[in-house]
Amino acid sequence: YFKQINLSIHRAMEFLRADAESTSGTEQFSDKKMVWILDKEKGFEKAAILEEKGDNVVVQKAGTNEEFTLKKEDTQQMNPPKFEKLEDMANLTYLNEASVLHNLRQRYFSSMIYTY
């Protein structure tokens, strides 16, 4: 019984730590226009829009120096960090495929599997 309680506390601490990490990115998020871009291996990757050129955008994949020129329609808006692990996904500012999958992935890894 005590092992279960200890495990639950450990999971809760991981969740709180993850929340602290996600809120620390708020300043970073507001400085740039963040989007999701399609990735063949991972599904979707975070990217920042560096420049807009008509119907195209130049984006930089998060955590790298890789820059791509894509059509605007091939990007999906990213929600601010305050929407991480949201229970009711209808409240997402940008309700798109990438945002829903990201939210589900984050909730799954935090053992918060129930959503609507």
Side-chain angles (χ1 to χ4, degrees), residues 36-103:
W36 295 106
I37 59 172
L38 195 57
D39 183 83
K40 291 180 182 180
E41 294 176 14
K42 298 180 182 178
F44 293 96
E45 284 277 330
K46 296 178 183 182
I49 294 179
L50 301 176
E51 185 180 349
E52 295 188 28
K53 298 178 180 179
D55 290 340
N56 295 326
V57 290
V58 178
V59 297
Q60 180 180 19
K61 194 183 284 190
T64 69
N65 290 329
E66 294 179 71
E67 292 183 11
F68 303 96
T69 300
L70 303 169
K71 292 182 179 181
K72 279 185 188 176
E73 63 192 38
D74 292 337
T75 64
Q76 296 183 28
Q77 291 289 340
M78 183 180 288
N79 289 292
K82 71 178 185 177
F83 291 102
E84 286 286 316
K85 302 175 188 161
L86 196 63
E87 185 174 330
D88 185 357
M89 288 190 277
N91 292 327
L92 289 171
T93 302
Y94 302 109
L95 189 59
N96 53 47
E97 182 181 6
S99 294
V100 168
L101 290 173
H102 174 73
N103 192 56

Side-chain angles (χ1 to χ4, degrees), residues 1-14:
Y1 174 76
F2 289 111
K3 287 182 181 179
Q4 288 178 328
I5 291 174
N6 197 17
L7 182 60
S8 295
I9 291 171
H10 179 70
R11 284 185 181 160
M13 292 306 290
E14 286 178 15

